[in-house]
C-alpha cells in the first residue's frame, strides 16, 4: 500500500545513520558555538533559543507532573514565562521550577547522544516536532514569531540543504545548547547578587524547600556543567576515534 510504503520510507530516513563527521567539523562547530555564547551581540540574539528550551522545560515537566498548562510567553528581552495551574507547593511545582535552567543542557545532551550515533535527520526532525508542539501553547506574538522563525530555519536546513550543511548545523546547534546552558546560570547568580531577580526559579525553589536559593543555583550549575562534559565526550567521538583513543 502506498501509505505503508511511504511510512516505511519515512521511518528508514529518520533512523538512518549518516557518515561520521570529519574531526575538523567537530572542532570548528564547537569554536563557532563558543564564540556565539561568549560574545555579547551574537549571544543576545541566539539566547532566544535557550529561552525557548528553558520555557519548554517548564512546560513539559508541568504536564508530566499533572499540572494544567495555561500558556507560554517569550519576550524580546530573552525572558520568558510559563503559566501552569495546580498545587502551589509539592513535588510537581518543585520539579516544574527545577526544569527550566537545566532544560537547555539536557536537550543538548540528548542531541549529543543522537549525533554520537550520526542520527542527524532524526535530530533535526525531532527539533521541528518539539517546536511545533510548543507553538500551540504560545500566548504572545513575539513568542509565535520566535517559534516560527526557529522552526522554519531547522526545517529548511533539514529539507533543502546538503548532508554536509545539515551536519554542520546540527553539531553547531548541539554545541550551542551545551555551552549556552551554562552561561544563564552565571547570569542568574550575578543578577541575584545585585538583588535584581527576587522571583527567580532559584528563589521560588528556596521558598518551597528547606534549601536556600544559592543551593539551587549550584544544582543548576552542576547539571549544566555535567551535561556539557558528557555531551562534549559524545560529540568528540570522531576525534577520539581518529586519534586511536577509542575503537
Amino acid at each position: 500500500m502506498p501509505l505503508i510504503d511511504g511510512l516505511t520510507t519515512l521511518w528508514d530516513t529518520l533512523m538512518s545513520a549518516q557518515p561520521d563527521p570529519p574531526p575538523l567539523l567537530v572542532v570548528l562547530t564547537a569554536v563557532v558555538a563558543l564564540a556565539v555564547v561568549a560574545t555579547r551581540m551574537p549571544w543576545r540574539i541566539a539566547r532566544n533559543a535557550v529561552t525557548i528550551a528553558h520555557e519548554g522545560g517548564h512546560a513539559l515537566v508541568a504536564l508530566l507532573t499533572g499540572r494544567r498548562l495555561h500558556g507560554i510567553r517569550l519576550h524580546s528581552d530573552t525572558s520568558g514565562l510559563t503559566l501552569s495551574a495546580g498545587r502551589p507547593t509539592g513535588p510537581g511545582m518543585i520539579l516544574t521550577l527545577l526544569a527550566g535552567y537545566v532544560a537547555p543542557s539536557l536537550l543538548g545532551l540528548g542531541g549529543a547522544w543522537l549525533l554520537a550515533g550520526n542520527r542527524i535527520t532524526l535530530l533535526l526532525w525531532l527539533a521541528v516536532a518539539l517546536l511545533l508542539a510548543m507553538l500551540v501553547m504560545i500566548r504572545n506574538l513575539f513568542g509565535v514569531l520566535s517559534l516560527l522563525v526557529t522552526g522554519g530555519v531547522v526545517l529548511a536546513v533539514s529539507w533543502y540543504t546538503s548532508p554536509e550543511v545539515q551536519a554542520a548545523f546540527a553539531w553547531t546547534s548541539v554545541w550551542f545548547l551545551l555551552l549556552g546552558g551554562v552561561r544563564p546560570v552565571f547570569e542568574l547568580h550575578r543578577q541575584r547578587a545585585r538583588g535584581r531577580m527576587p522571583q527567580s526559579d532559584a528563589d521560588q525553589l528556596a521558598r518551597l524547600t528547606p534549601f536556600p536559593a544559592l543551593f539551587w543555583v549550584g544544582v543548576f550549575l552542576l547539571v549544566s556543567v555535567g551535561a556539557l562534559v558528557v555531551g562534549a565526550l559524545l560529540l568528540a567521538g570522531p576525534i577520539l576515534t581518529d586519534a586511536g583513543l577509542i575503537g
Side-chain angles (χ1 to χ4, degrees):
M1 296 178 62
L3 178 59
I4 296 177
D5 291 341
L7 291 175
T8 301
T9 301
L10 176 61
W11 177 258
D12 291 340
T13 300
L14 290 176
M15 299 308 296
S16 62
Q18 285 71 37
D20 287 337
L24 182 59
L25 180 141
V26 178
V27 174
L28 289 179
T29 53
V31 170
V32 169
L34 180 59
V36 171
V37 172
T39 51
R40 183 174 181 179
M41 186 53 67
W43 170 247
R44 174 66 178 77
I45 297 171
R47 197 186 193 283
N48 285 288
V50 175
T51 302
I52 290 171
H54 179 116
E55 299 305 329
H58 282 315
L60 177 60
V61 174
L63 291 173
L64 292 176
T65 56
R67 298 180 64 80
R68 296 186 301 279
L69 185 60
H70 285 175
I72 303 168
R73 301 178 69 87
L74 304 172
H75 303 132
S76 58
D77 62 355
T78 72
S79 66
L81 178 65
T82 298
L83 297 174
S84 64
R87 287 186 58 193
T89 60
M93 188 65 195
I94 292 171
L95 290 173
T96 298
L97 288 168
L98 180 60
Y101 275 96
V102 303
S105 297
L106 294 180
L107 278 174
L109 181 58
W113 178 73
L114 288 174
L115 289 183
N118 293 327
R119 299 298 196 275
I120 297 173
T121 302
L122 180 59
L123 170 67
L124 296 176
W125 283 42
L126 280 176
V128 172
L130 289 173
L131 290 167
L132 286 176
M134 188 174 174
L135 181 62
V136 177
M137 298 307 302
I138 296 295
R139 295 294 181 266
N140 68 322
L141 179 59
F142 182 82
V144 171
L145 291 175
S146 295
L147 266 293
L148 289 176
V149 170
T150 305
V153 169
V154 179
L155 182 61
V157 169
S158 66
W159 196 264
Y160 295 109
T161 64
S162 66
E164 293 78 12
V165 173
Q166 292 177 21
F169 179 83
W171 253 266
T172 303
S173 299
V174 171
W175 276 120
F176 173 75
L177 284 174
L178 290 169
L179 293 164
V182 177
R183 178 168 174 170
V185 181
F186 286 101
E187 293 175 343
L188 169 65
H189 178 63
R190 189 163 55 248
Q191 292 294 322
R192 287 194 66 260
R194 298 172 181 173
R196 296 180 181 177
M197 296 187 70
Q199 298 299 321
S200 71
D201 294 350
D203 289 280
Q204 293 183 66
L205 283 165
R207 289 191 284 270
L208 294 175
T209 66
F211 306 105
L214 189 59
F215 168 85
W216 291 108
V217 175
V219 171
F220 299 156
L221 183 61
L222 181 64
V223 173
S224 60
V225 172
L228 172 59
V229 171
V230 177
L233 290 174
L234 289 171
L235 293 175
I239 297 176
L240 297 177
T241 300
D242 191 61
L245 298 178
I246 61 176

